[in-house]
Amino acid sequence: MNKLAWRRTWFQVHKWIGLILAILIVPLSLSGAALVWHDGLDRIVNPARYATTGRTLLAPDAYLDAARAALKPGDRIAQLTMTADGDPVVVAAQPAQAADGGAPGARRGPPVRTMVYLDPPSARVLQVAASNAGLVRFLHVLHGSLQVPGVGRQIVGWIGVAMMISSFTGLWLWWPTVGRWLKGLRWRRHRNTDSNLHYLMGFWVALPLFVLSLTGAWISFPAFFAALSGGAPAQRGPDRATLMRAQALAAPAQPLAIVVERAKAVRRGTIRSIAWPTDRTPDWTVIYAGGATVKVADDGGIAVAAPSRTPGGPALLMRRIHDGEGMGIVWQVVIFIGGVLPAALAVTGIIMWWRARGWRAKLARR
C-alpha cells in the first residue's frame, strides 16, 4: 500500500471515529476538563458545605453524635472522614431502606448514601445531602461511566481506545504531503476557518490526548493493562460492587471510643477515616494520614496493623496522570486544554464533513 492509499485509509478511520463518537466525546471531554479542579468547583457550587470555622478536630464521638441527630431513624453510619486542612468532617450513612436491602428493581450502580457535613471545631451540621447529588458528583459519574450503570465504565474505556487511534490518525493526516513538516504549522492551510482550526488544534492536542486516552482506558480495564505491563494479578475476593453494597452493622459490639483507643495502641498518628464493620468485613478499619491502616475486630476488640490501603504501582500512576492529582499546575492546565479541544475538534470535524457532503452533491449534479 502506497503513501496515498494509507492516507485515504487513515482519513476514513479518523472521519468515522469522529462522526460516530462525537456525541459521546463532547460530554466526556468537557466533564474531564471541569474535574481537573473538582475541589474548587465543589466549593463554588456548595458554599454552605465548606463554611467551616477552623481546623481544630474534636473526638470522633462528637461528630458521631451530631450526625445521628441529623440522620433519619434507622440510618446506619458507615464511615467517618476527618481532614486537617479545614475541610468539613464527613459522616456517611446508609439510608434505612438501603440497609434493609432496598426495594425490588432498585437502581443499579453504587448505593446512595446520606452524607452529613460537619464543622470541625464545633461539630455543627453544615449540610446533609445524598452522595449522588450535586453538579460535581454528576460530572464524576458522567466522565467515569457516561451515567450508564453497569457497562458504562467499559464504554468509556473503548472510547479511550478509539481516541488513541484518532490521535494517531489525526497526526498522520496533519503531516504535510509535500515539503517540510513546519508547513503544517501555518494557519492558512485551507480557505475555511474551521478547517484551519481543526488542523492546528489537532496537532497541539494530539500527544496529550493520546496520553489521556491511554490512561483513561487503563483505568477502565485495569486487569488487562496489569497483565500487559507484567503487573501482579489481582487478588481473588469479593468484587468492588459487592464490597460497596456491604451493609454496615446496625449495632456494632465495640463503641467508637474503644475502637479509636485500641487502634492508637497499635499505631500512633493522625486518624483520617474510620469505616464501620459490615456484614462482609466484620472489622473496624482505621486509616491514618499517609495510608497506614489498623483493623479492629468488632467481636473481641483486638487491633492489628494491616497493609496500607493506598494503591501503588502503574495503576496509581495512570490515575494521577489522568486526573492531574498532585501533578502540578502545568500538567493540570494541559489536561484542561486536552479536555476542551477534543470537543472543539468534534464540532469542527462535523462542520468539515457536512461541507464536504454538500460539495460532493454539487459535483454529482454537475
Side-chain angles (χ1 to χ4, degrees):
M1 188 178 291
N2 58 33
K3 185 176 180 180
L4 182 59
W6 273 115
R7 191 174 184 86
R8 289 173 178 170
T9 300
W10 291 134
F11 175 77
Q12 294 298 321
V13 172
H14 187 80
K15 178 181 71 174
W16 288 110
I17 286 177
L19 292 176
I20 294 173
L21 299 181
I23 196 172
L24 301 178
I25 290 172
V26 172
L28 199 63
S29 299
L30 294 181
S31 60
L35 290 173
V36 174
W37 295 292
H38 58 92
D39 289 344
L41 180 61
D42 194 45
R43 287 178 177 274
I44 292 173
V45 299
N46 296 298
R49 183 178 300 178
Y50 293 91
T52 58
T53 59
R55 299 169 179 263
T56 305
L57 292 173
L58 305 177
D61 268 328
Y63 303 120
L64 186 62
D65 293 339
R68 281 175 174 161
L71 294 170
K72 297 178 181 178
D75 289 356
R76 299 183 182 183
I77 293 178
Q79 187 166 353
L80 168 65
T81 304
M82 302 176 289
T83 64
D85 55 5
D87 284 345
V89 173
V90 183
V91 174
Q94 295 172 329
Q97 63 271 22
D100 294 335
R107 67 184 296 276
R108 300 174 64 188
V112 178
R113 292 185 174 186
T114 300
M115 314 299 288
V116 182
Y117 299 88
L118 304 166
D119 181 38
S122 65
R124 176 175 56 89
V125 176
L126 300 173
Q127 189 179 68
V128 179
S131 60
N132 64 342
L135 173 63
V136 175
R137 182 58 187 168
F138 174 83
L139 292 175
H140 271 290
V141 178
L142 178 65
H143 189 71
S145 63
L146 288 172
Q147 296 286 342
V148 179
V151 299
R153 195 175 186 87
Q154 286 70 39
I155 295 175
V156 171
W158 283 113
I159 292 175
V161 174
M163 291 304 295
M164 284 191 284
I165 298 173
S166 183
S167 300
F168 169 75
T169 55
L171 193 59
W172 182 292
L173 295 171
W174 167 88
W175 203 277
T177 55
V178 179
R180 301 177 61 189
W181 66 272
L182 289 174
K183 291 178 59 178
L185 298 176
R186 294 183 306 176
W187 166 250
R188 297 299 300 179
R189 289 188 64 177
H190 199 275
R191 65 176 179 272
N192 297 309
T193 301
D194 51 86
S195 298
N196 293 320
L197 284 172
H198 195 85
Y199 277 119
L200 281 182
M201 290 189 301
F203 170 76
W204 290 110
V205 81
L207 183 56
L209 182 58
F210 183 89
V211 173
L212 292 174
S213 300
L214 172 62
T215 53
W218 196 304
I219 294 170
S220 297
F221 305 119
F224 171 79
F225 282 98
L228 197 65
S229 62
Q235 296 181 353
R236 292 188 178 275
D239 59 22
R240 182 171 177 267
T242 301
L243 291 175
M244 290 183 67
R245 293 188 176 278
Q247 302 300 319
L249 298 185
Q254 302 295 326
L256 178 59
I258 297 296
V259 171
V260 173
E261 180 183 339
R262 298 289 173 81
K264 287 183 176 180
V266 174
R267 185 181 294 276
R268 295 290 180 181
T270 303
I271 295 176
R272 286 289 173 254
S273 71
I274 302 172
W276 266 238
T278 70
D279 54 1
R280 291 192 174 274
T281 55
D283 295 326
W284 295 79
T285 303
V286 182
I287 301 179
Y288 289 77
T293 303
V294 173
K295 293 281 189 178
V296 180
D298 188 52
D299 53 359
I302 300 175
V304 295
S308 172
R309 296 181 61 180
T310 302
L316 174 61
L317 178 61
M318 293 300 113
R319 182 167 289 280
R320 289 185 62 190
I321 292 174
H322 191 80
D323 298 344
E325 191 74 27
M327 297 294 289
I329 187 63
V330 174
W331 180 245
Q332 290 172 352
V333 171
V334 170
I335 296 176
F336 177 79
I337 295 174
V340 173
L341 290 190
L345 288 171
V347 174
T348 54
I350 291 174
I351 294 173
M352 293 166 63
W353 168 75
W354 189 260
R355 184 187 300 109
R357 286 184 77 250
W359 176 79
R360 291 191 184 94
K362 291 179 180 179
L363 188 62
R365 286 195 297 268
R366 290 177 184 175

